[in-house]
Amino acid sequence: MSTVIEQIEQQIAQLSNKAVKKNTGHILTVADGVAKLDGLSDVMYNEMVQFPGGAIGIALNLEEDEVGCVILGDVSNLKEGDEVQTTGKLLSVPVGKALLGRVVDALGRPVDGKGPIDSKEFYPVEKIAPGIIVRKSVSQPLFTGIMAIDSMIPIGRGQRELIIGDRGTGKTTICIDTIINQGRINKVGLASGDKNFRPVYSIYVAIGQKQSNIVRTISALEAAGALEFTVIVAAPAADNPANQYIAPYSGASIGEWFMENGMDALIVYDDLSKHAVAYRQISLILKRPSGREAYPGDVFYLHSRLLERAARLDGKGSLTALPIVETLAGDVSAYIPTNIISITDGQIFLETDLFNQGIRPAVSVGLSVSRVGSSAQIKATKQVGGKLKGELAQFRELAAFAQFGSDLDAKTKAQLDRGSRIVELFKQPQLNPIAIELQVSVLWALQKEYFSSVEVKQVVGAAASLRDYLATRKDALLTKIRTKAALDAALDAELKTACDEWKGTFAAK
Amino acid sequence: MRGDKKTKLLAKQLFKLSLVNGEVSAAQVAGVLGYIEKIQPRQTLALLKLYHRAIAAEVAKSRALIEHAGPIGDSALKLVESAMTQKYHRAVTASAQRNDALFAGLRVRVGSDVYESTVAGQLAALAASL
């Protein structure tokens, strides 16, 4: 027993004599959440720096005789001459399933008042994106629940699809709908007991958003039962620019944990325009040379290194990114939009005019594209919606042409008639994603001319009626479409019977 | 006061002139100060502040400031001096400064490096880990 005590005493003696080396410096200036420091001769790029009062900074500018550092936290108590020290650590955030259903700040600290997060693992905020060898091409669909997108601009797991448009055109709504749809699919999939089912976990990163909007989003997700599969990273407009700059990287780290542990995740960056503005503010205060629109030279790298972290990994999971960019007066050729368009694997462009005409979601078919294409679609969607994009584009062209003359031949009139029905069919209320099997059924009905006899203005109601009919009375058929993911002769026949029955009830009304 | 680019460059050049064999030379510094007084360059105050900061940082690299709570003997000072001279590959002179807030132990500061072996430091580390 005495030897054990001696061992402990030795340990204590070792501890008490051990000198700890710290690398220190002093604050020269503090302004707008950015500090200039002297000393810190051993500081590394992106290293966490400890400020007095528990505030943390990140070393971003390593100059010959001073260090530029953004401060994450309260800067009101910091003053010139205060001692700071390096930590030897990179900024890290908690990751794991414990974060699901929680709202955290840019550093992964809970801000929802639901108590501490029991997370064992931490991931660095800045991480090098997966390389070429470990990646796999995108081939699995990620259903948004929005008919216009799932049928014409499909998104795959591991893809980066930009959502772009002016303010108030429904960009956030598309992303929230997608998150809600993942929650709905997860619930159905997990309840089915299918061992091959892969749930999609969502991360919503709010950058520079109004607090009231974030609260509204949380409420919408909670009401739809999707919050339990979602992590919300909030860096609202009231947060300092350093937090807004870090937040998307923190969100990416949280998403990477799911990806690297064999799960699928979806991350929404809402929005990267405000992220670029926050970074511009930091860069200007750090006196970095400014370029076009006063953005620093590395603003492309700012977003490319973030979006490259979204991938589908071979033998592991995937991280799908939906970055949002706000345009001014529909100008997609501005600096940040063009940068992000070139980084992502496609974009969904939302038009103000369409939105104001009541076409919601206001997806511009001509300007929207998914570079992954039909490889991220199930066969059933390809079978029923393969030609829709072309038809709709042709309709828009004809509609513009038809404005100049009234004498149109029968074929053109038929095309215009069909096009206007497709437009009506794609109208969808917000926070109401449609299951893929229902989308396939409705598009099948469109293909088989079930909506031809319906007045154009009544197509929205007719489609909703068909969906209700199928959902309430033809559950077995919908399950078959969902599980088979392709339409064969037998399913065609069943769909025909179901649609004929529905047509009878709809016509009788 | 923060100087412009030219002032910073001049301060750097004057600093380099103040070194002899990699160490700050008192004679050279006196010469530099005399030069500044004579020609009165633009932004003299900013220049002097920048020059002062550079010289102070360089001097601090050759000085080991030992903060202590209890008594400290000459032998301990010599020991620290030789250890730091060996570590930093330059002549380091040690000086002692009493600091009762440390409770016990030593804190050695060389340039921006701090070697903490004090009770106060350990208590602070313990508080941070809780």
Side-chain angles (χ1 to χ4, degrees):
Chain A
M1 186 59 80
S2 62
T3 52
V4 176
I5 292 167
E6 276 171 23
Q7 274 181 347
I8 297 169
E9 280 173 354
Q10 274 177 4
Q11 188 86 13
I12 292 168
Q14 275 176 4
L15 270 178
S16 57
N17 291 333
K18 204 174 172 184
V20 182
K21 188 190 171 188
K22 295 187 292 186
N23 193 246
T24 62
H26 295 93
I27 298 177
L28 295 173
T29 60
V30 190
D32 304 313
V34 172
K36 290 268 184 182
L37 316 167
D38 73 352
L40 297 182
S41 55
D42 289 347
V43 73
M44 295 177 289
Y45 182 65
N46 265 340
E47 186 181 342
M48 277 164 72
V49 177
Q50 184 70 56
F51 283 80
I56 286 167
I58 305 167
L60 282 186
N61 263 22
L62 305 187
E63 291 166 28
E64 200 176 348
D65 51 357
E66 57 186 33
V67 175
C69 188
V70 291
I71 304 163
L72 307 159
D74 187 17
V75 294
S76 56
N77 296 322
L78 301 178
K79 58 184 186 298
E80 187 189 345
D82 277 352
E83 190 175 281
V84 296
Q85 66 181 68
T86 56
T87 59
K89 293 179 200 161
L90 293 173
L91 188 65
S92 302
V93 286
V95 292
K97 282 193 172 177
L99 276 96
L100 291 171
R102 302 299 302 268
V103 185
V104 296
D105 68 3
L107 297 176
R109 296 175 298 204
V111 290
D112 52 5
K114 291 181 184 171
I117 294 170
D118 183 27
S119 182
K120 306 275 184 290
E121 274 186 86
F122 286 80
Y123 265 29
V125 165
E126 290 273 3
K127 218 173 169 199
I128 302 291
I132 302 162
I133 306 296
V134 294
R135 286 180 189 245
K136 204 177 172 188
S137 48
V138 176
S139 60
Q140 293 174 325
L142 183 130
F143 301 119
T144 61
I146 297 160
M147 269 177 73
I149 295 174
D150 288 341
S151 60
M152 294 188 292
I153 318 143
I155 299 171
R157 295 186 185 193
Q159 190 178 341
R160 291 89 42 94
E161 183 80 4
L162 170 66
I163 316 283
I164 186 168
D166 280 6
R167 59 181 291 275
T169 49
K171 302 181 295 295
T172 304
T173 307
I174 284 182
C175 296
I176 299 304
D177 279 3
T178 308
I179 293 175
I180 290 174
N181 200 40
Q182 304 320 307
R184 196 190 52 75
I185 294 170
N186 290 352
K187 279 183 183 168
V188 173
L190 293 172
S192 72
D194 181 5
K195 283 178 187 170
N196 294 323
F197 176 71
R198 295 171 66 90
V200 176
Y201 300 100
S202 307
I203 299 116
Y204 177 79
V205 187
I207 311 152
Q209 301 285 318
K210 283 185 272 186
Q211 306 254 32
S212 57
N213 283 354
I214 300 174
V215 170
R216 205 177 303 146
T217 303
I218 296 167
S219 307
L221 294 176
E222 209 160 16
L227 192 63
E228 59 185 290
F229 300 104
T230 311
V231 183
I232 293 176
V233 181
D239 253 7
N240 65 32
N243 282 25
Q244 291 179 35
Y245 159 63
I246 287 295
Y249 298 100
S250 303
S253 298
I254 294 168
E256 272 170 343
W257 182 86
F258 289 104
M259 177 173 70
E260 286 173 6
N261 286 282
M263 289 171 266
D264 292 324
L266 161 75
I267 186 161
V268 175
Y269 302 111
D270 192 2
D271 67 76
L272 291 188
S273 314
K274 291 191 181 77
H275 182 237
V277 168
Y279 186 59
R280 175 170 67 183
Q281 193 175 333
I282 291 168
S283 300
L284 289 172
I285 297 166
L286 282 169
K287 297 216 173 355
R288 287 181 175 179
S290 56
R292 184 175 160 188
E293 292 175 28
Y295 287 106
D298 64 341
V299 77
F300 185 90
Y301 178 57
L302 172 83
H303 290 141
S304 64
R305 75 174 192 265
L306 172 71
L307 293 168
E308 278 292 297
R309 288 166 73 174
R312 184 180 173 210
L313 299 184
D314 197 6
K316 290 182 179 174
S318 69
L319 179 63
T320 312
L322 294 181
I324 293 177
V325 164
E326 190 179 295
T327 53
L328 287 171
D331 182 16
V332 287
S333 61
Y335 191 25
I336 302 302
T338 45
N339 274 358
I340 301 175
I341 285 170
S342 71
I343 297 164
T344 49
D345 307 313
Q347 72 276 344
I348 294 167
F349 184 68
L350 302 175
E351 270 186 72
T352 314
D353 287 349
L354 292 177
F355 189 86
N356 293 337
Q357 284 166 27
I359 301 168
R360 297 171 195 175
V363 177
S364 165
V365 179
L367 289 174
S368 302
V369 67
S370 169
R371 285 177 204 158
V372 170
S374 59
S375 54
Q377 265 180 330
I378 58 168
K379 197 179 171 191
T381 317
K382 276 187 240 177
Q383 283 171 309
V384 294
K387 291 174 184 168
L388 276 176
K389 200 174 178 195
E391 275 185 84
L392 210 52
Q394 215 171 17
F395 162 70
R396 295 243 192 267
E397 205 172 303
L398 278 175
F401 181 70
Q403 284 178 337
F404 298 106
S406 55
D407 292 337
L408 299 167
D409 61 87
K411 195 184 166 194
T412 312
K413 273 184 184 167
Q415 273 183 322
L416 285 170
D417 197 47
R418 184 172 164 78
S420 53
R421 279 186 169 73
I422 298 172
V423 170
E424 289 297 309
L425 199 73
F426 282 148
K427 284 184 182 174
Q428 198 175 322
Q430 63 174 342
L431 311 177
N432 191 17
I434 301 169
I436 193 69
E437 56 272 20
L438 281 171
Q439 290 185 29
V440 169
S441 307
V442 171
L443 291 175
W444 185 90
L446 174 83
Q447 217 183 34
K448 303 293 177 192
E449 307 291 345
Y450 277 90
F451 296 108
S452 301
S453 56
V454 180
E455 280 286 313
V456 172
K457 282 184 181 171
Q458 287 179 357
V459 169
V460 178
S465 156
L466 175 59
R467 288 199 302 267
D468 284 347
Y469 181 83
L470 293 171
T472 51
R473 300 191 199 180
K474 301 289 173 188
D475 194 40
L477 170 63
L478 294 176
T479 310
K480 272 186 207 167
I481 298 172
R482 188 172 63 238
T483 49
K484 280 189 180 174
L487 297 180
D488 51 18
L491 275 177
D492 260 355
E494 275 193 64
L495 270 170
K496 188 176 182 316
T497 315
C499 287
D500 285 340
E501 282 174 24
W502 163 76
K503 190 81 179 171
T505 58
F506 186 70
K509 278 180 192 174
Chain B
M1 186 186 281
R2 297 176 60 79
D4 58 15
K5 263 187 185 174
K6 280 185 180 172
T7 311
K8 281 180 183 171
L9 195 67
L10 181 58
K12 202 183 283 178
Q13 285 171 339
L14 293 176
F15 168 70
K16 279 181 185 167
L17 282 172
S18 309
L19 301 180
V20 175
N21 296 329
E23 284 183 27
V24 176
S25 153
Q28 292 290 101
V29 170
V32 165
L33 290 176
Y35 167 78
I36 293 172
E37 202 177 347
K38 190 178 163 188
I39 65 158
Q40 290 284 321
R42 283 176 64 240
Q43 297 192 328
T44 310
L45 184 60
L47 176 71
L48 279 170
K49 280 190 173 177
L50 289 167
Y51 179 66
H52 172 260
R53 210 171 86 193
I55 293 290
E58 191 59 30
V59 167
K61 285 180 193 170
S62 306
R63 268 198 194 152
L65 177 66
I66 305 170
E67 290 177 73
H68 59 96
I72 184 167
D74 281 348
S75 59
L77 280 177
K78 293 277 178 220
L79 212 61
V80 170
E81 239 176 42
S82 65
M84 294 301 161
T85 302
Q86 203 176 358
K87 185 168 176 61
Y88 289 98
H89 308 291
R90 64 195 299 167
V92 176
T93 53
S95 58
Q97 187 180 13
R98 194 175 174 85
N99 184 353
D100 290 332
L102 302 179
F103 300 124
L106 297 177
R107 181 189 286 160
V108 182
R109 189 184 292 270
V110 184
S112 60
D113 291 338
V114 176
Y115 299 88
E116 181 92 47
S117 179
T118 65
V119 172
Q122 288 191 12
L123 286 172
L126 188 67
S129 68
L130 287 176

